[in-house]
Amino acid sequence: MKASIQLEAADRRTVILLRAAVIWHIVLAIAGLAGGLLVWLRAGDMLLWLRLPLGALLVLTAAASSLTALFVQRGRHSGRVLSLAVNYLGFLFCFLGGMHVLGMFTGIDSLASTFGRGIPYLGGVLAGYLISALGDRYENHPERRQMLKRVGKVVMLAFMATFLLAIGTLSGLLAVVRRFTSFLPCLLVGGGLLFGLMIWALWRRDSAVALGASTAHEQMLNGFLFLSPNLLGFLLFFAGPLLLSLYFSFTNYDATTHVSDWVGLQNYARLFNLTIAPLTTPDQPVTEALDMTVYDELMRFNFFERSFILGAQDKLFWIALRNTIVFCLLAVPLSVIPALFLANLLNSKLPGMKFFRAIYFLPSVAAVVGVALIWQWLYNAAVGYINYSITSAVTTINTLFGSAILDPQIRWLSDTRIALLAVVIMSAWQWIGFDTVLFMAGMQAIPRELYEAATVDGAGRWAQFRRITIPLLGPTTFFVVTTAVINALQLFEQVYVLINTEPPGGPANSTLSLVLYLYVRGFQRFQQGYASAVAWVLFIVIFGVTLLQYRRQRSGAYA
Amino acid sequence: MNRKPILTVLGLVIVLSMALAACGTPATEPATEAPSEEPITLRWRTRPDNQAEIDVYQAVSDAIQAQLPAGITLVYEPGGAETSSYQDVLKTEIAAGTAPDVFWIPGTDVADFASRGLILNLNDLASQTPDFNMDDFYAAPMAHMTHNIETGAEGAGSGALWGVPRDVSTFVLYLNLDLIIEAGAPDPRELAAAGEWDWEAFYDVATRVRALGPDIYGYGANAWWGPYGVWMNAAGGGFYNTDRTACGLDSAASLEGLAFQRSLYVGDNPVAVPYGEDSEPPFMAGRVAMFQNGRWATPGVRANANFNWDVVALPTGPSGHMGDWLFWGAYVVNANTAHPEEAWQLVQRLTTAETQAMISELGTNIPSRVSQEAIDAFLTFTPPDNNQAFIDSLMDDPVAEGPLWAGSWPEFVAVMDPAIQALMTGQTTLEEFQISICAEANRTFNP
């Protein structure tokens, strides 16, 4: 009753605009429904993963528009909210689509060179502006002031015109006009204008009052407007691809051939398809124990004095999973524990500490690729500095003490037992600096009074560290460990660049990580469906581990 | 004077003009979108290893551009180096519809690209081109390039032409002559000239050099299918069976080759740089006597080797041949190009004798055209003095690097490579390798 009274009290212009909005939303609802049906029934050659969300989006638009028309007609403010949301999204769609069909996004790639041609003329514009500004200095000489201003304007205009010509604005304008001869740009620009008009019609104060908007409503709309860039970005570039990859994981999608058939749980079944077979002797050939048309040998083990063989349909997935877990178990403690002690050391106020803090942080800001290439040289078994140092040390010790220590000649990157360790060492070295900074920030938040009180009570440095620093660093430790674990489980660049074998993950798959395997499947073999399944398994692993850590934090394990 | 409005207007004008300029810029648009009435831009790409190579290809592009009719613009795009996954980027661009019109791919990848429908069958265009003659190029690569996926036929009249080979190359051994002389070993070039350069002689030279010290190696090669394949080939074996429809890694001849290679790395007297280690740095540092690599390594050796060096052909194996590979790569045309005829013309111009001579001068490869002139010109591009070694390998019935039409090469190599790695580092024995390798590898062939 209250709403209709406000609507009746609205001025004639507002009433017309609101009626226009109702009609617009009815038209939009019909168009959305028709478009949805058309996409679903007629666009048979469109890929399912594209047809499904597009059809759903159009039907959703139809539903939202129908509700909007109904609510606005009844003078309810929820109609205004819905209308603004639908029109805002529609406007963005038309605006971005228009820019795309006008070739703006592809043109931006080479705009740098085009625009570079005009930059010198911008200097002329600046000179004209300065001449014009110089006129202000001659307040007592009006003629001179006028003359300088006029000259300045002419110079600015001349150079601006030259600038516009030089960067190709004219040809751009012509290109835009030429593209308007086809239907799509006109449709998008027209649609954008209509959506924009409806936004204005519903946003204006009189419309808001007529639909019973309160201050809280206005604040909510403003809040969502400010949130919208981030929210839309999240939906478009994170949540959307995430859901799409979930869908792909149930298909055999190949991005190069665009084959995308629904295969259900087949990808997951292949990943987890394991078999165990008893062995007559521990060294029985795998070909006799397993069906080699399906399975590969993963491992052999003894159970109650009987030998068994474990086979997997996708052995590489299990190898990658094992390597990733081993890497995580080694790299996280090797980076976090030294970082804690290093932070304690660097947290003192000794001279030169700032310098050392910068030094230790340097590896964290260095690019992984550059770091990996340097370590590749250091690790070279024949001419690398690490083996050279070990050889020199062994020779010196043997010479000094007459011992006969053997030079290990470690094959850092080619020995399957060592290669993953080499990756661990390099990664831990790179992560320590960042973890140290986080620990230092945590330490500096601990009140000094606690240490002073502990000192008065007779506590030594170690007792203070153990009883005050470590417990109060609990939240920082939780953050550091959680992010380190997530980073470790996403191991990719270090192996890809440092080990640099073809196929990746060598030697003999000993450094193959889950993300690397995902990359091989998805971007070397283009089995995006299968790679998506691997990605979701990795996501579940990371999610599970993080959840576990949250629970441990709540139980005070990090204190 | 209130300058804020002026600055605001100025800013708006600049932003608007940028937007308009972007609309009008002849951007590098996906090949499929260019309308035929507009001027044609043809993009082409190779996989150069260094700036010098990029410069040569750019010069080639400029030279061809000068011969093209008005309205066609060539854009050369140097692709990533081998280590930056040239093919991965290329396939991703193909998937996105932004790949160049013409690009180079290695011979092993032709089957994968062709069977996925990513490259254009040029047969119809070639048949309308009187000047194009398949016999001008080495026969083995052309057999693979004319493989008909449906019928399996090869050669002229097969109905298929997937591209034109750009170059060929073979393996040789890059020699550190200083080390060989210091070790008192016979000169491999003289042994080769005398017809005595076989596996035994090779092992003898490697052993003598290895005896010079613990950080000196007789032989070095990098860990990929090329180096280990030659030992199998030289013993009469190979990766596949004779008709390339199944795994041949467990044949007696293949195992003989692998056994010899394994003796270089593990056992009583390992003479080689440990398997899996990059052998190029120690060779450049003067610690490896014989470094197995292709013609593409020549510019690097020319630039970095501070010792007397030369090359020799690979030693002859039990089969009576060196077992060398005929490496090759080809220019192919994007299946989605909007300008197939112009792209085909570009492919022809990129493989003329003149263009190949320009590239060969750089020292990275050997022309793919069979002609005495091309070989004579190639021999003059020294060092190395013994360029003839490359030609000798070419004439010794090398095994052409081949696409795997009956299966998936990436899947096959993903099985083969780790297994060979385990074998060469002593983790598995030859018997263990033999038991399961083909059972596993055969799954990568089409059912």
Side-chain angles (χ1 to χ4, degrees), chain B residues 268-341:
Chain B
D268 299 334
N269 182 28
V271 294
V273 175
Y275 191 84
E277 292 290 330
D278 186 354
S279 292
E280 196 158 358
F283 176 72
M284 295 300 183
R287 300 202 188 159
V288 179
M290 295 179 282
F291 174 46
Q292 183 180 337
N293 215 331
R295 181 67 187 182
W296 55 85
T298 297
V301 180
R302 281 180 188 168
N304 299 313
N306 294 316
F307 46 82
N308 289 310
W309 67 276
D310 202 350
V311 296
V312 68
L314 297 180
T316 307
S319 69
H321 292 284
M322 300 169 196
D324 211 334
W325 294 107
L326 180 68
F327 293 109
W328 58 280
Y331 287 117
V332 295
V333 174
N334 185 344
N336 291 321
T337 181
H339 316 291
E341 287 175 15

Side-chain angles (χ1 to χ4, degrees), chain B residues 98-133:
Chain B
T98 57
D101 301 274
V102 173
F103 47 82
W104 174 91
I105 52 172
T108 44
D109 283 10
V110 171
D112 190 34
F113 277 69
S115 53
R116 284 169 179 270
L118 309 181
I119 53 177
L120 198 65
N121 185 348
L122 301 167
N123 186 63
D124 291 345
L125 291 165
S127 58
Q128 293 161 18
T129 311
D131 294 342
F132 180 73
N133 186 356

Side-chain angles (χ1 to χ4, degrees), chain A residues 307-328:
Chain A
S307 298
F308 292 90
I309 185 168
L310 180 63
Q313 189 175 3
D314 186 353
K315 120 179 133 170
L316 291 182
F317 166 74
W318 292 99
I319 290 172
L321 184 64
R322 182 196 64 198
N323 290 342
T324 307
I325 292 170
V326 170
F327 175 81
C328 185

Side-chain angles (χ1 to χ4, degrees), chain A residues 251-274:
Chain A
T251 68
N252 62 351
Y253 182 53
D254 182 315
T256 54
T257 57
H258 299 294
V259 169
S260 176
D261 299 325
W262 181 265
V263 295
L265 289 169
Q266 197 175 298
N267 289 331
Y268 292 97
R270 190 179 161 198
L271 282 177
F272 292 106
N273 188 2
L274 294 170

Side-chain angles (χ1 to χ4, degrees), chain B residues 368-380:
Chain B
S368 61
R369 282 178 175 272
V370 188
S371 79
Q372 193 54 47
E373 292 77 26
I375 289 173
D376 290 345
F378 170 77
L379 291 173
T380 63

Side-chain angles (χ1 to χ4, degrees), chain A residues 129 136 254 256 292 496, chain B residues 3 23 85 88 116 427 443:
Chain A
Y129 178 76
D136 292 340
D254 182 315
T256 54
M292 289 291 284
Y496 191 70
Chain B
R3 297 193 182 97
C23 290
S85 302
D88 301 354
R116 284 169 179 270
Q427 281 180 283
R443 289 211 304 267

Side-chain angles (χ1 to χ4, degrees), chain A residues 199-262:
Chain A
I199 291 171
W200 170 78
L202 271 293
W203 185 263
R204 52 197 287 279
R205 186 162 178 73
D206 289 345
S207 305
V209 171
L211 292 170
S214 64
T215 313
H217 287 139
E218 292 303 298
Q219 285 177 344
M220 178 197 70
L221 283 173
N222 285 329
F224 273 112
L225 186 65
F226 280 106
L227 263 179
S228 65
N230 196 293
L231 203 61
L232 289 174
F234 171 80
L235 288 173
L236 273 177
F237 300 115
F238 187 80
L242 200 70
L243 289 175
L244 202 60
S245 82
L246 182 63
Y247 167 74
F248 282 155
S249 73
F250 298 110
T251 68
N252 62 351
Y253 182 53
D254 182 315
T256 54
T257 57
H258 299 294
V259 169
S260 176
D261 299 325
W262 181 265

